[in-house]
Amino acid sequence: MIRPYTTFAVIALSLLSRAPACGADDAEDARLNGAFDVYLKESFRREPMSATRLGDHAYDDRLDDVSPEARRANLEFLRETLERLGRDVHPDQLSPAGKVDHDVFRRNLEASIWLRETFDPFRDDPRVYGDYVAESVYLPLTQSTLPREVNKRNVLKRMQEVPRILETARRTIGRPPRVKVETAVRQAEGAVSFYKAELFQLVGDKPGEGELTEPAAKIVEALTKYIAFLKDEVLPRRGEEWRIGREKFVKKLDYELDAGLSADEVLAEAEREATRVESEMGVFARHLWSEYFPGVAVPPDDEAGRREMIRRVLGRIGDDHGTAETLVADAKGTVRAIQEFIRAKNILGLPDPDQLRIIEMPEFMRGNSVAYLNPAPPLDARGSSEYAISPPPSEWSRERAESFLHEYNRAMLQILTIHEAYPGHYVQLEYSNRCPSKIRRVLSSGTFAEGWAVYTEQMMLDQGFGGGSVPLRLQQLKFYLRAVVNAILDNKMHCGGMTDAEARELLVGRAFQTDGEAEGKIIRSKQSSCQLSTYFVGRTAFSRLRRAVQREQGDRFDLGRYHEAVLSEGTIPVKHLPQLVRARLAETGQGAR
């Protein structure tokens, strides 16, 4: 997954030189872009964390006012911006590219307003405060391209604001669900570790020395009291209802996907696809059975027998794994072969220079996923990107840690690196950061990003990565089945009354996940809604477009140029892709016959 921006390394020049700009310079387009610039400037003044995440460092020395009064004022600002956009910009006078930008801007405003009117994470989700407590300091020190001393001065001032954030949290948090409180506690404990050690490593000081020592100690003291507050006061009064309900889910999913599909259509298509993928997995598992279980009869050829066969074969594949200590190094070890394959097979042009760092996930960011890609911010695109992986926590039992490592075995790590890095999230977002349209760079679509990453997993193996390894293909199908089942889980957990036991049966019994992975996914589904559907819906959109364009072009289809055309339009809602990709291919001499 990618670390999302709030509602709110360079691609080879040859790629950009043959691509037209994403926007036009006519008067109405200029008016739209001017309106967006005004909006961004005021948004960043009101919410400095948004500015930092997006790479504008003018406000890196301050933090948001997260009081209820300030948040109400920010909501009113969004409403006023939407009203002015409708009054001052005329969509019928925009260029084709400008019409897309206008739709992206308008829909983002509408979604932001609805989300803030409908949900209050500052009251109902204490995890939100963790962004201001630790990420606010971590990002300038790891991604900003400003001089090191400037970043250090900025975070010093920002650190002085952290106790204020925690005090606001104590006054604001209501009765959040237990699952969110428990994650917030773990992340806050990770933040304590950050301020005791990692912070000093990032700035080049020894722990306990330098000008950051005193403010860091004050934050640790404030965090210690905050953790006690969460444990002693919030947990006893916590709520248990984490489901958002069908009405809200349907509306939120429409904004999240922006793909022209209803919640019922997504669920029905995911159910059909899960059945198809399971059948395909059965074919590959049958090929491997005699190798892994010589002399043992293949299980009966029915649904139960097929699932037993797949599960046992996957179990043998999972036996080949590293340790908690080597997990990050093992992921790094997958990179060179993947990069060389992409270049040799002309999959697409890779970023040059490469700005990706593969790291162990900071403790204060753990609790939502096993891995993420934190991209270089679009307004400071020469900053670094981070592919972060979370090893099993040291407090886990040996059995639970072994289950985790069994899931993230050596074959799975190759698929995970394709998804998160090459040619998945990292490469795609580097392309996106070079799109001339600021609107598209800043207001990115999670459905596009996740869909592209899932699409690349099968595409790479189809082009020959892994040399036709059947175990690797079976692992890829398992990873894809996870994306499909994510959409089913997302809907049934929030629209229906799916229990933990039913969710576990879906994940373990139907999607062949280990118990540890299933437990983590159930927790994640309770802490979020609709994001889990983006993987399947986005991948489906990419696969359908690829099939259509390839059939239209026949022998003239060039996979590398097609991929570059897809990525050069920015991280846009997938509903716009068919029109824009065909237009770009036509301009580069690859249009339909």
Side-chain angles (χ1 to χ4, degrees):
M1 67 175 290
I2 55 171
R3 287 278 300 170
Y5 297 125
T6 54
T7 49
F8 280 113
V10 180
I11 299 298
L13 291 178
S14 60
L15 300 182
L16 294 180
S17 64
R18 67 169 175 257
C22 290
D25 284 331
D26 61 32
E28 203 62 25
D29 282 24
R31 188 173 291 112
L32 171 64
N33 292 328
F36 186 67
D37 285 339
V38 170
Y39 162 72
L40 270 192
K41 184 176 181 180
E42 179 61 16
S43 294
F44 291 167
R45 185 190 69 79
R46 291 169 176 268
E47 299 179 344
M49 266 296 290
S50 293
T52 298
R53 285 186 172 124
L54 292 168
D56 186 310
H57 302 297
Y59 301 95
D60 280 358
D61 60 347
R62 66 198 77 174
L63 277 177
D64 306 29
D65 181 349
V66 295
S67 68
E69 298 77 17
R71 290 186 285 111
R72 283 194 293 269
N74 293 342
L75 174 58
E76 187 56 34
F77 164 67
L78 292 174
R79 291 174 178 147
E80 292 170 354
T81 301
L82 180 60
E83 190 276 330
R84 284 195 300 272
L85 180 66
R87 183 185 66 232
D88 297 343
V89 178
H90 303 91
D92 58 325
Q93 298 177 26
L94 292 165
S95 68
K99 287 182 171 68
V100 173
D101 287 351
H102 180 270
D103 179 72
V104 170
F105 187 15
R106 177 183 58 81
R107 286 280 295 180
N108 184 270
L109 286 170
E110 291 174 350
S112 297
I113 291 167
W114 182 81
L115 287 168
R116 296 189 188 207
E117 290 175 340
T118 307
F119 302 99
D120 187 356
F122 291 90
R123 184 191 65 200
D124 302 326
D125 187 356
R127 295 176 304 159
V128 72
Y129 295 99
D131 296 344
Y132 303 97
V133 170
E135 188 183 359
S136 65
V137 171
Y138 179 81
L139 289 180
L141 295 177
T142 56
Q143 289 197 316
S144 170
T145 56
L146 293 177
R148 187 174 189 176
E149 285 306 310
V150 174
N151 291 326
K152 187 174 180 180
R153 286 199 304 270
N154 283 337
V155 300
L156 178 61
K157 293 180 180 178
R158 186 168 265 185
M159 287 168 63
Q160 294 167 355
E161 297 293 309
V162 169
R164 169 180 62 81
I165 296 290
L166 293 174
E167 184 55 38
T168 301
R170 293 171 65 96
R171 295 195 307 267
T172 307
I173 295 172
R175 298 180 64 251
R178 171 191 288 272
V179 65
K180 295 181 179 181
V181 182
E182 291 173 340
T183 299
V185 169
R186 289 193 296 272
Q187 291 176 340
E189 290 170 341
V192 169
S193 298
F194 171 77
Y195 280 110
K196 284 184 175 180
E198 189 175 2
L199 168 68
F200 297 95
Q201 297 168 8
L202 291 175
V203 299
D205 292 343
K206 292 182 179 180
E209 297 182 5
E211 58 188 336
L212 298 183
T213 299
E214 183 178 348
K218 290 181 178 179
I219 291 175
V220 169
E221 181 182 3
L223 276 168
T224 302
K225 294 178 181 178
Y226 176 64
I227 292 169
F229 162 73
L230 292 176
K231 290 180 176 179
D232 299 339
E233 298 185 39
V234 179
L235 268 178
R237 70 173 187 243
R238 89 285 181 195
E240 294 295 344
E241 190 47 68
W242 44 265
R243 305 180 203 272
I244 68 172
R246 177 175 174 79
E247 182 178 354
K248 292 177 182 177
F249 182 88
V250 168
K251 184 74 170 179
K252 186 180 180 185
L253 189 72
D254 179 57
Y255 280 127
E256 182 81 43
L257 299 179
D258 203 9
L261 291 173
S262 70
D264 289 341
E265 288 171 333
V266 172
L267 178 61
E269 193 160 348
E271 292 276 15
R272 290 191 295 270
E273 182 70 347
T275 299
R276 186 197 68 78
V277 176
E278 182 183 333
S279 177
E280 188 174 354
M281 292 176 71
V283 174
F284 287 104
R286 194 172 298 276
H287 279 294
L288 291 168
W289 180 267
S290 62
E291 177 183 342
Y292 289 136
F293 303 98
V296 179
V298 177
D301 189 14
D302 54 22
E303 182 179 278
R306 182 175 63 248
R307 289 181 177 175
E308 177 190 353
M309 175 182 64
I310 295 170
R311 185 173 297 105
R312 291 178 66 180
V313 170
L314 285 170
R316 286 296 179 89
I317 295 172
D319 287 340
D320 182 17
H321 63 73
T323 67
E325 292 74 25
T326 66
L327 187 65
V328 175
D330 291 342
K332 290 180 179 179
T334 66
V335 168
R336 183 181 296 275
I338 294 173
Q339 290 175 319
E340 290 177 352
F341 179 86
I342 291 171
R343 294 188 180 100
K345 298 297 184 180
N346 229 5
I347 301 298
L348 79 177
L350 289 175
D352 182 19
D354 191 304
Q355 302 176 135
L356 182 65
R357 298 188 303 124
I358 303 177
I359 65 168
E360 182 174 317
M361 190 182 298
E363 287 188 49
F364 64 85
M365 289 186 175
R366 298 179 188 178
N368 296 314
S369 65
V370 170
Y372 66 71
L373 189 285
N374 200 19
L379 303 181
D380 188 9
R382 291 185 179 271
S384 66
S385 296
E386 293 179 337
Y387 167 21
I389 305 171
S390 175
S394 57
E395 68 269 16
W396 279 11
S397 67
R398 189 168 65 86
E399 292 75 18
R400 187 177 179 187
E402 174 64 22
S403 175
F404 175 95
L405 294 168
H406 207 266
E407 182 80 13
Y408 291 93
N409 54 71
R410 298 191 195 283
M412 177 66 93
L413 283 179
Q414 294 181 70
I415 304 301
L416 187 66
T417 299
I418 289 171
H419 178 106
E420 297 290 349
Y422 309 96
H425 285 319
Y426 167 63
V427 173
Q428 183 264 310
L429 290 163
E430 283 286 305
Y431 270 78
S432 185
N433 279 352
R434 299 309 182 271
C435 177
S437 167
K438 185 185 291 187
I439 291 176
R440 297 190 204 176
R441 293 202 309 273
V442 169
L443 304 180
S444 58
S445 163
T447 303
F448 182 111
E450 298 297 357
W452 167 261
V454 178
Y455 159 80
T456 63
E457 299 159 14
Q458 178 176 328
M459 178 273 295
M460 286 283 285
L461 269 62
D462 287 349
Q463 295 305 117
F465 180 75
S469 166
V470 177
L472 185 63
R473 173 65 77 174
L474 188 58
Q475 196 68 58
Q476 177 264 313
L477 287 169
K478 175 184 172 179
F479 204 46
Y480 173 50
L481 183 59
R482 178 192 298 189
V484 178
V485 168
N486 277 350
I488 299 172
L489 181 73
D490 195 23
N491 186 301
K492 292 191 173 182
M493 289 290 270
H494 287 282
C495 292
M498 177 174 270
T499 65
D500 285 11
E502 291 169 337
R504 188 168 286 103
E505 174 56 29
L506 172 68
L507 298 171
V508 176
R510 189 172 184 186
F512 309 105
Q513 297 178 23
T514 61
D515 288 332
E517 177 67 20
E519 183 176 345
K521 186 57 63 67
I522 291 169
I523 292 173
R524 181 175 169 186
S525 70
K526 292 177 179 181
Q527 295 184 123
S528 67
S529 53
C530 299
Q531 193 274 336
L532 283 175
S533 295
T534 61
Y535 301 84
F536 170 64
V537 173
R539 190 268 191 185
T540 300
F542 278 105
S543 297
R544 286 176 175 166
L545 179 61
R546 158 83 181 275
R547 286 197 299 268
V549 171
Q550 189 167 353
R551 287 201 175 279
E552 292 164 8
Q553 295 188 349
D555 293 342
R556 293 179 300 108
F557 181 77
D558 182 305
L559 184 63
R561 285 185 177 271
Y562 168 76
H563 287 155
E564 289 163 11
V566 166
L567 297 190
S568 61
E569 296 294 345
T571 312
I572 56 175
V574 293
K575 67 184 182 184
H576 294 301
L577 270 175
Q579 166 199 348
L580 294 175
V581 169
R582 286 186 172 94
R584 182 170 290 267
L585 288 172
E587 291 169 354
T588 58
Q590 279 195 284
R593 296 180 204 262

